[in-house]
Amino acid sequence: MTVHSDRVNSGVGNARDDETLRTLMAAYQRGDLDAFDRLYAALEREVRGFLRARCRDPQRVDDLLQETFLQIHRSRRSYLPGLPVRPWVYAIAKRVFLMHLRTVKRRESRETTELSMAQEPEVPAASGRVADRSTLVSALRQVPPDSRRAFLLHHWQGLSFHEIAARLGIAPSAAKLRSSRAANRLRRLLDADERDKK
Amino acid sequence: MTEPDGETKRRVREMVARDLKPVRPLLRPGRRALLVAPVAAAAVGYAVFGYGHRDFDRLGLFAGWGVSALQWIAGLLLLGAALRHAVPGRDLSRRSITATVSGAIGLVVLVTVVTYAIEPSEVPPGVAFTFWWECVKWPMALAAPILLVASLLAMRALPAQPGVVGALCGLAAGVLADSGWRLACDVSAPGHVLGAHGVAILLLAGVGAVVGVFVDAVRR
């Protein structure tokens, strides 16, 4: 089989695949749950790949995948019958991702503001080396948002890992891991800063 | 740490199964734009017959009703483009949006020039501001119901750029309302038409963008 005929066959395959998706989408709009299952099975992998290419945290990818399919469900009437299904699905996945980005940025800026507005705790003279506030805020900004959130909830607000897990919708072990990663990253950043000053 | 395979699917399926019911797909953008046509026609009708109209004998049939009909159709086409841009996966390219907006503005300028060439009339002395305010206020009031219906139709489709879609709806509502208002306003001087009618159209685009973002935020 030549490369050309491979391409042609693959094109035919895609067209057939798209035809199947259109049929499934029409059945889903008529209220067929089985059609939804088949759509999910057909699209889950590629939508996950699409999200994974934009977001490194696997836990977050699961959340975004769930939100994408729920958004697909909520706006299923906006799919226009007869048109290709994939561009519609990807546009929704992209929108879900952009909304997520916006939320993360808003949360980040709120946490940073809260941290810089908070009263500075009194530190005993013998407590050794303490980073100043601006250094700490600047270092915290460099910690990935998910880890920073778990770290602040634990060390700043004093929540247990079970409480953090419940609040963020993740496993307690994941909360602990994120907080610990943030602490390690902070330590490295502050050490580097200390060395620079010397 | 990822979830076990199928966990996300199970949760999504549960939620979908809970409220799965048949839905009627949205109409095509062109057909949805036609749903706005009666409101737009009523706005034009009110401007001409409710508010009062200029001297049609001097303007002539083509430069009066003919040009307004063309502008009205262009407004509906613009609305169709806005409604298309609202549908996920059917969004227009940046170039197409620029061309559409430029076309709409160019059309208003062309209509202004043609009207002035056929029947030149200036703003009477001493009432420039009164005329200006009247010609900003009325097109905006006439366009308000068009913009409302258009925005609701557009936002049902989950637009990726609600602000852009809203601005296009506002622009379309402005062009549609102005197609009637140009028959009600006695002045055809380009300074007045572009400075008042044109400003009203641009303001409507801005209001549309704000409405789009607001409706989208409430909907979410």
Side-chain angles (χ1 to χ4, degrees):
Chain A
M1 190 178 284
T2 64
V3 174
H4 175 71
S5 61
D6 269 344
R7 276 192 193 147
V8 169
N9 285 344
S10 139
V12 170
N14 282 342
R16 267 192 210 137
D17 180 37
D18 198 66
E19 195 55 48
T20 311
L21 289 179
R22 288 180 207 194
T23 312
L24 287 173
M25 200 56 218
Y28 175 37
Q29 285 180 321
R30 288 194 299 270
D32 183 347
L33 185 59
D34 184 50
F36 172 77
D37 286 339
R38 291 175 61 195
L39 264 176
Y40 190 101
L43 294 169
E44 188 242 352
R45 214 170 140 185
E46 50 191 284
V47 175
R48 187 185 286 279
F50 175 82
L51 294 168
R52 198 181 283 150
R54 286 157 181 77
C55 179
R56 276 171 299 171
D57 180 355
Q59 175 71 44
R60 189 65 66 201
V61 170
D62 279 336
D63 293 346
L64 290 174
L65 183 72
Q66 174 176 319
E67 185 50 34
T68 300
F69 276 99
L70 289 179
Q71 192 63 64
I72 284 173
H73 176 64
R74 284 193 286 267
S75 47
R76 61 195 184 280
R77 69 166 63 228
S78 72
Y79 167 72
L80 306 179
L83 293 179
V85 175
R86 282 194 174 85
W88 178 76
V89 169
Y90 281 113
I92 291 177
K94 187 177 167 191
R95 183 188 151 100
V96 166
F97 177 70
L98 291 177
M99 290 295 126
H100 162 71
L101 268 191
R102 210 173 288 170
T103 311
V104 167
K105 275 184 188 158
R106 211 174 295 145
R107 193 197 295 152
E108 251 179 69
S109 118
R110 202 175 49 228
E111 279 171 359
T112 311
T113 312
E114 276 172 12
L115 185 67
S116 52
M117 298 277 285
Q119 287 235 326
E120 195 155 5
E122 278 187 31
V123 182
S127 67
R129 193 162 53 100
V130 177
D132 66 45
R133 182 197 299 265
S134 61
T135 313
L136 190 60
V137 169
S138 142
L140 269 171
R141 280 203 185 112
Q142 295 174 60
V143 175
D146 287 338
S147 305
R148 179 176 57 228
R149 190 161 168 72
F151 176 82
L152 287 175
L153 286 172
H154 184 62
H155 290 281
W156 193 260
Q157 296 190 12
L159 299 188
S160 71
F161 289 120
H162 278 281
E163 288 169 322
I164 297 171
R167 187 180 280 202
L168 300 182
I170 56 177
S173 53
K176 197 171 184 177
L177 184 67
R178 288 182 192 187
S179 173
S180 150
R181 277 183 188 155
N184 288 336
R185 181 83 193 265
L186 263 181
R187 198 172 296 126
R188 278 199 303 275
L189 288 165
L190 293 174
D191 281 347
D193 185 68
E194 191 71 18
R195 274 198 303 275
D196 289 348
K197 277 179 185 166
K198 280 176 187 171
Chain B
M1 191 186 298
T2 49
E3 290 177 349
D5 274 353
E7 180 60 25
T8 307
K9 183 183 177 182
R10 190 188 57 74
R11 273 207 307 266
V12 172
R13 191 182 194 278
E14 257 177 30
M15 286 187 254
V16 167
R18 219 177 293 147
D19 80 333
L20 184 62
K21 51 180 182 280
V23 290
R24 204 172 61 182
L26 294 180
L27 295 172
R28 300 260 163 172
R31 285 193 178 185
R32 277 188 297 145
L34 286 180
L35 294 179
V36 184
V39 187
V44 171
Y46 185 80
V48 180
F49 301 111
Y51 184 86
H53 57 81
R54 65 199 302 162
D55 188 351
F56 285 148
D57 291 339
R58 286 170 59 195
L59 192 59
L61 189 66
F62 169 73
W65 287 105
V67 169
S68 275
L70 286 177
Q71 185 175 331
W72 192 81
I73 291 168
L76 271 191
L77 290 174
L78 183 58
L79 187 59
L83 293 175
R84 178 189 159 142
H85 191 60
V87 177
R90 298 276 290 156
D91 40 346
L92 305 169
S93 66
R94 195 170 290 180
R95 189 181 287 183
S96 305
I97 293 175
T98 310
T100 306
V101 171
S102 312
I105 294 172
L107 178 75
V108 172
V109 173
L110 183 68
V111 166
T112 305
V113 170
V114 167
T115 310
Y116 188 68
I118 294 174
E119 196 229 339
S121 54
E122 304 292 334
V123 179
V127 289
F129 179 75
T130 313
F131 269 49
W132 178 83
W133 173 238
E134 197 78 350
C135 289
V136 171
K137 182 182 72 180
W138 272 98
M140 290 193 77
L142 291 168
I146 306 174
L147 176 60
L148 184 72
V149 177
S151 300
L152 290 176
L153 285 174
M155 295 310 145
R156 289 184 77 195
L158 195 79
Q161 297 175 310
V164 176
V165 170
L168 287 172
C169 285
L171 194 63
V175 170
L176 284 165
D178 184 63
S179 71
W181 187 250
R182 66 176 285 274
L183 297 177
C185 178
D186 291 315
V187 180
S188 59
H192 166 80
V193 176
L194 297 178
H197 305 203
V199 162
I201 293 173
L202 293 180
L203 280 175
L204 279 160
V207 171
V210 174
V211 169
V213 171
F214 177 74
V215 174
D216 183 67
V218 170
R219 196 176 179 272
R220 234 184 297 135

PDB file of all heavy atoms in Angstrom, chain A residues 9 15 24 31 42 48 58 75 80 84 94-95 119-121 134 138 150 165 168 174 178 190-191 198:
ATOM      1  N   ASN A   9      -7.049   6.335   2.842  1.00  0.00           N
ATOM      2  CA  ASN A   9      -7.817   5.461   3.722  1.00  0.00           C
ATOM      3  C   ASN A   9      -8.010   6.093   5.086  1.00  0.00           C
ATOM      4  O   ASN A   9      -9.072   6.008   5.687  1.00  0.00           O
ATOM      5  CB  ASN A   9      -7.111   4.114   3.880  1.00  0.00           C
ATOM      6  CG  ASN A   9      -7.292   3.286   2.626  1.00  0.00           C
ATOM      7  OD1 ASN A   9      -8.162   3.604   1.812  1.00  0.00           O
ATOM      8  ND2 ASN A   9      -6.483   2.261   2.472  1.00  0.00           N
ATOM      9  N   ALA A  15     -13.378  10.445   8.267  1.00  0.00           N
ATOM     10  CA  ALA A  15     -14.706  10.892   7.866  1.00  0.00           C
ATOM     11  C   ALA A  15     -15.766   9.991   8.498  1.00  0.00           C
ATOM     12  O   ALA A  15     -16.776  10.461   9.017  1.00  0.00           O
ATOM     13  CB  ALA A  15     -14.825  10.884   6.355  1.00  0.00           C
ATOM     14  N   LEU A  24     -23.784  10.002  17.145  1.00  0.00           N
ATOM     15  CA  LEU A  24     -23.840   9.854  18.606  1.00  0.00           C
ATOM     16  C   LEU A  24     -24.298  11.151  19.256  1.00  0.00           C
ATOM     17  O   LEU A  24     -25.096  11.165  20.201  1.00  0.00           O
ATOM     18  CB  LEU A  24     -22.465   9.460  19.154  1.00  0.00           C
ATOM     19  CG  LEU A  24     -22.017   8.029  18.877  1.00  0.00           C
ATOM     20  CD1 LEU A  24     -20.573   7.835  19.332  1.00  0.00           C
ATOM     21  CD2 LEU A  24     -22.919   7.037  19.604  1.00  0.00           C
ATOM     22  N   GLY A  31     -31.336  12.626  24.299  1.00  0.00           N
ATOM     23  CA  GLY A  31     -31.435  12.122  25.675  1.00  0.00           C
ATOM     24  C   GLY A  31     -30.967  10.688  25.839  1.00  0.00           C
ATOM     25  O   GLY A  31     -31.356  10.022  26.797  1.00  0.00           O
ATOM     26  N   ALA A  42     -15.040   7.632  23.042  1.00  0.00           N
ATOM     27  CA  ALA A  42     -14.366   8.016  21.794  1.00  0.00           C
ATOM     28  C   ALA A  42     -13.489   9.251  21.969  1.00  0.00           C
ATOM     29  O   ALA A  42     -12.461   9.386  21.299  1.00  0.00           O
ATOM     30  CB  ALA A  42     -15.406   8.265  20.707  1.00  0.00           C
ATOM     31  N   ARG A  48      -8.178  14.439  26.987  1.00  0.00           N
ATOM     32  CA  ARG A  48      -7.191  14.386  28.072  1.00  0.00           C
ATOM     33  C   ARG A  48      -5.815  14.825  27.555  1.00  0.00           C
ATOM     34  O   ARG A  48      -5.105  15.584  28.189  1.00  0.00           O
ATOM     35  CB  ARG A  48      -7.113  12.967  28.647  1.00  0.00           C
ATOM     36  CG  ARG A  48      -6.244  12.850  29.874  1.00  0.00           C
ATOM     37  CD  ARG A  48      -6.117  11.393  30.293  1.00  0.00           C
ATOM     38  NE  ARG A  48      -7.316  10.876  30.924  1.00  0.00           N
ATOM     39  CZ  ARG A  48      -7.632  11.073  32.203  1.00  0.00           C
ATOM     40  NH1 ARG A  48      -6.834  11.784  32.977  1.00  0.00           N
ATOM     41  NH2 ARG A  48      -8.725  10.556  32.712  1.00  0.00           N
ATOM     42  N   PRO A  58      -1.338  16.105  36.836  1.00  0.00           N
ATOM     43  CA  PRO A  58      -2.297  15.073  36.418  1.00  0.00           C
ATOM     44  C   PRO A  58      -3.633  15.177  37.159  1.00  0.00           C
ATOM     45  O   PRO A  58      -4.686  14.920  36.589  1.00  0.00           O
ATOM     46  CB  PRO A  58      -1.596  13.757  36.778  1.00  0.00           C
ATOM     47  CG  PRO A  58      -0.178  14.100  37.006  1.00  0.00           C
ATOM     48  CD  PRO A  58      -0.115  15.526  37.411  1.00  0.00           C
ATOM     49  N   SER A  75     -23.997  22.371  27.721  1.00  0.00           N
ATOM     50  CA  SER A  75     -24.237  23.171  26.506  1.00  0.00           C
ATOM     51  C   SER A  75     -24.425  22.281  25.283  1.00  0.00           C
ATOM     52  O   SER A  75     -24.086  22.664  24.169  1.00  0.00           O
ATOM     53  CB  SER A  75     -23.090  24.155  26.295  1.00  0.00           C
ATOM     54  OG  SER A  75     -21.876  23.505  26.444  1.00  0.00           O
ATOM     55  N   LEU A  80     -24.426  22.151  16.675  1.00  0.00           N
ATOM     56  CA  LEU A  80     -25.337  22.246  15.537  1.00  0.00           C
ATOM     57  C   LEU A  80     -25.266  20.961  14.720  1.00  0.00           C
ATOM     58  O   LEU A  80     -24.201  20.618  14.200  1.00  0.00           O
ATOM     59  CB  LEU A  80     -24.964  23.439  14.640  1.00  0.00           C
ATOM     60  CG  LEU A  80     -24.863  24.795  15.353  1.00  0.00           C
ATOM     61  CD1 LEU A  80     -24.462  25.889  14.372  1.00  0.00           C
ATOM     62  CD2 LEU A  80     -26.167  25.152  16.029  1.00  0.00           C
ATOM     63  N   PRO A  84     -19.039  19.015  12.128  1.00  0.00           N
ATOM     64  CA  PRO A  84     -18.069  18.148  12.810  1.00  0.00           C
ATOM     65  C   PRO A  84     -18.127  18.338  14.334  1.00  0.00           C
ATOM     66  O   PRO A  84     -18.313  19.456  14.813  1.00  0.00           O
ATOM     67  CB  PRO A  84     -16.721  18.623  12.264  1.00  0.00           C
ATOM     68  CG  PRO A  84     -17.039  19.331  11.002  1.00  0.00           C
ATOM     69  CD  PRO A  84     -18.408  19.888  11.144  1.00  0.00           C
ATOM     70  N   LYS A  94     -11.066  24.130  25.459  1.00  0.00           N
ATOM     71  CA  LYS A  94     -10.205  25.312  25.526  1.00  0.00           C
ATOM     72  C   LYS A  94     -10.817  26.366  26.452  1.00  0.00           C
ATOM     73  O   LYS A  94     -10.134  26.973  27.263  1.00  0.00           O
ATOM     74  CB  LYS A  94     -10.042  25.889  24.107  1.00  0.00           C
ATOM     75  CG  LYS A  94      -9.038  27.005  24.023  1.00  0.00           C
ATOM     76  CD  LYS A  94      -8.901  27.454  22.589  1.00  0.00           C
ATOM     77  CE  LYS A  94      -8.158  28.770  22.525  1.00  0.00           C
ATOM     78  NZ  LYS A  94      -8.215  29.373  21.201  1.00  0.00           N
ATOM     79  N   ARG A  95     -12.098  26.522  26.333  1.00  0.00           N
ATOM     80  CA  ARG A  95     -12.779  27.507  27.191  1.00  0.00           C
ATOM     81  C   ARG A  95     -12.656  27.104  28.663  1.00  0.00           C
ATOM     82  O   ARG A  95     -12.365  27.932  29.528  1.00  0.00           O
ATOM     83  CB  ARG A  95     -14.251  27.588  26.784  1.00  0.00           C
ATOM     84  CG  ARG A  95     -15.017  28.628  27.568  1.00  0.00           C
ATOM     85  CD  ARG A  95     -16.503  28.525  27.273  1.00  0.00           C
ATOM     86  NE  ARG A  95     -17.270  28.972  28.419  1.00  0.00           N
ATOM     87  CZ  ARG A  95     -17.827  30.170  28.533  1.00  0.00           C
ATOM     88  NH1 ARG A  95     -17.714  31.025  27.578  1.00  0.00           N
ATOM     89  NH2 ARG A  95     -18.496  30.503  29.607  1.00  0.00           N
ATOM     90  N   GLN A 119      -0.509  40.698  59.323  1.00  0.00           N
ATOM     91  CA  GLN A 119       0.412  41.210  60.339  1.00  0.00           C
ATOM     92  C   GLN A 119       1.609  40.270  60.445  1.00  0.00           C
ATOM     93  O   GLN A 119       1.447  39.058  60.441  1.00  0.00           O
ATOM     94  CB  GLN A 119      -0.318  41.219  61.682  1.00  0.00           C
ATOM     95  CG  GLN A 119      -1.355  42.304  61.764  1.00  0.00           C
ATOM     96  CD  GLN A 119      -1.097  43.169  62.966  1.00  0.00           C
ATOM     97  OE1 GLN A 119      -0.648  42.677  63.980  1.00  0.00           O
ATOM     98  NE2 GLN A 119      -1.354  44.449  62.828  1.00  0.00           N
ATOM     99  N   GLU A 120       2.768  40.857  60.571  1.00  0.00           N
ATOM    100  CA  GLU A 120       3.967  40.033  60.663  1.00  0.00           C
ATOM    101  C   GLU A 120       4.033  39.385  62.047  1.00  0.00           C
ATOM    102  O   GLU A 120       3.891  40.080  63.054  1.00  0.00           O
ATOM    103  CB  GLU A 120       5.194  40.911  60.464  1.00  0.00           C
ATOM    104  CG  GLU A 120       6.408  40.092  60.186  1.00  0.00           C
ATOM    105  CD  GLU A 120       7.441  40.896  59.411  1.00  0.00           C
ATOM    106  OE1 GLU A 120       7.230  42.084  59.198  1.00  0.00           O
ATOM    107  OE2 GLU A 120       8.428  40.296  59.040  1.00  0.00           O
ATOM    108  N   PRO A 121       4.158  38.063  62.108  1.00  0.00           N
ATOM    109  CA  PRO A 121       4.223  37.441  63.422  1.00  0.00           C
ATOM    110  C   PRO A 121       5.511  37.843  64.145  1.00  0.00           C
ATOM    111  O   PRO A 121       6.538  38.054  63.497  1.00  0.00           O
ATOM    112  CB  PRO A 121       4.213  35.944  63.109  1.00  0.00           C
ATOM    113  CG  PRO A 121       4.611  35.836  61.690  1.00  0.00           C
ATOM    114  CD  PRO A 121       4.265  37.112  61.025  1.00  0.00           C
ATOM    115  N   SER A 134       9.433  40.601  51.969  1.00  0.00           N
ATOM    116  CA  SER A 134       9.420  40.740  50.500  1.00  0.00           C
ATOM    117  C   SER A 134      10.138  39.563  49.845  1.00  0.00           C
ATOM    118  O   SER A 134       9.715  39.078  48.791  1.00  0.00           O
ATOM    119  CB  SER A 134      10.066  42.062  50.090  1.00  0.00           C
ATOM    120  OG  SER A 134      11.395  42.087  50.520  1.00  0.00           O
ATOM    121  N   SER A 138       8.246  37.053  47.338  1.00  0.00           N
ATOM    122  CA  SER A 138       8.799  36.841  45.998  1.00  0.00           C
ATOM    123  C   SER A 138       9.108  35.360  45.773  1.00  0.00           C
ATOM    124  O   SER A 138       8.879  34.830  44.682  1.00  0.00           O
ATOM    125  CB  SER A 138      10.027  37.736  45.852  1.00  0.00           C
ATOM    126  OG  SER A 138      11.014  37.101  45.148  1.00  0.00           O
ATOM    127  N   ALA A 150      -1.605  24.558  48.958  1.00  0.00           N
ATOM    128  CA  ALA A 150      -1.585  23.544  50.031  1.00  0.00           C
ATOM    129  C   ALA A 150      -0.650  23.992  51.147  1.00  0.00           C
ATOM    130  O   ALA A 150      -0.971  23.859  52.339  1.00  0.00           O
ATOM    131  CB  ALA A 150      -1.142  22.203  49.451  1.00  0.00           C
ATOM    132  N   ALA A 165      -7.368  18.558  52.089  1.00  0.00           N
ATOM    133  CA  ALA A 165      -7.822  17.617  51.050  1.00  0.00           C
ATOM    134  C   ALA A 165      -9.295  17.828  50.751  1.00  0.00           C
ATOM    135  O   ALA A 165      -9.713  17.860  49.587  1.00  0.00           O
ATOM    136  CB  ALA A 165      -7.575  16.179  51.527  1.00  0.00           C
ATOM    137  N   LEU A 168      -9.762  21.186  48.826  1.00  0.00           N
ATOM    138  CA  LEU A 168      -9.271  21.230  47.436  1.00  0.00           C
ATOM    139  C   LEU A 168      -9.806  20.094  46.575  1.00  0.00           C
ATOM    140  O   LEU A 168      -9.563  20.047  45.370  1.00  0.00           O
ATOM    141  CB  LEU A 168      -7.742  21.193  47.410  1.00  0.00           C
ATOM    142  CG  LEU A 168      -7.008  22.329  48.118  1.00  0.00           C
ATOM    143  CD1 LEU A 168      -5.505  22.179  47.953  1.00  0.00           C
ATOM    144  CD2 LEU A 168      -7.445  23.675  47.572  1.00  0.00           C
ATOM    145  N   ALA A 174      -2.056  13.633  48.702  1.00  0.00           N
ATOM    146  CA  ALA A 174      -1.694  14.612  47.658  1.00  0.00           C
ATOM    147  C   ALA A 174      -1.486  15.993  48.274  1.00  0.00           C
ATOM    148  O   ALA A 174      -0.566  16.733  47.884  1.00  0.00           O
ATOM    149  CB  ALA A 174      -2.782  14.673  46.603  1.00  0.00           C
ATOM    150  N   ARG A 178       1.973  18.051  48.081  1.00  0.00           N
ATOM    151  CA  ARG A 178       2.055  19.408  47.512  1.00  0.00           C
ATOM    152  C   ARG A 178       2.688  20.380  48.495  1.00  0.00           C
ATOM    153  O   ARG A 178       3.535  21.194  48.130  1.00  0.00           O
ATOM    154  CB  ARG A 178       0.655  19.909  47.147  1.00  0.00           C
ATOM    155  CG  ARG A 178       0.076  19.213  45.931  1.00  0.00           C
ATOM    156  CD  ARG A 178      -1.272  19.783  45.599  1.00  0.00           C
ATOM    157  NE  ARG A 178      -1.950  18.944  44.609  1.00  0.00           N
ATOM    158  CZ  ARG A 178      -3.090  19.260  44.029  1.00  0.00           C
ATOM    159  NH1 ARG A 178      -3.694  20.389  44.312  1.00  0.00           N
ATOM    160  NH2 ARG A 178      -3.652  18.454  43.151  1.00  0.00           N
ATOM    161  N   LEU A 190      15.099  30.323  49.100  1.00  0.00           N
ATOM    162  CA  LEU A 190      15.589  31.214  50.160  1.00  0.00           C
ATOM    163  C   LEU A 190      17.086  31.016  50.393  1.00  0.00           C
ATOM    164  O   LEU A 190      17.819  31.971  50.646  1.00  0.00           O
ATOM    165  CB  LEU A 190      14.788  30.999  51.448  1.00  0.00           C
ATOM    166  CG  LEU A 190      13.318  31.424  51.350  1.00  0.00           C
ATOM    167  CD1 LEU A 190      12.552  31.043  52.615  1.00  0.00           C
ATOM    168  CD2 LEU A 190      13.196  32.917  51.107  1.00  0.00           C
ATOM    169  N   ASP A 191      17.541  29.746  50.299  1.00  0.00           N
ATOM    170  CA  ASP A 191      18.979  29.477  50.440  1.00  0.00           C
ATOM    171  C   ASP A 191      19.765  30.189  49.344  1.00  0.00           C
ATOM    172  O   ASP A 191      20.799  30.807  49.591  1.00  0.00           O
ATOM    173  CB  ASP A 191      19.250  27.961  50.363  1.00  0.00           C
ATOM    174  CG  ASP A 191      18.925  27.277  51.688  1.00  0.00           C
ATOM    175  OD1 ASP A 191      18.743  28.006  52.686  1.00  0.00           O
ATOM    176  OD2 ASP A 191      18.825  26.035  51.705  1.00  0.00           O
ATOM    177  N   LYS A 198      25.264  37.101  50.427  1.00  0.00           N
ATOM    178  CA  LYS A 198      26.628  37.007  50.957  1.00  0.00           C
ATOM    179  C   LYS A 198      27.624  37.323  49.856  1.00  0.00           C
ATOM    180  O   LYS A 198      28.620  37.938  50.007  1.00  0.00           O
ATOM    181  CB  LYS A 198      26.876  35.604  51.495  1.00  0.00           C
ATOM    182  CG  LYS A 198      26.276  35.410  52.886  1.00  0.00           C
ATOM    183  CD  LYS A 198      26.468  33.973  53.333  1.00  0.00           C
ATOM    184  CE  LYS A 198      25.720  33.719  54.641  1.00  0.00           C
ATOM    185  NZ  LYS A 198      25.705  32.309  54.987  1.00  0.00           N
TER     186      LYS A 198
END
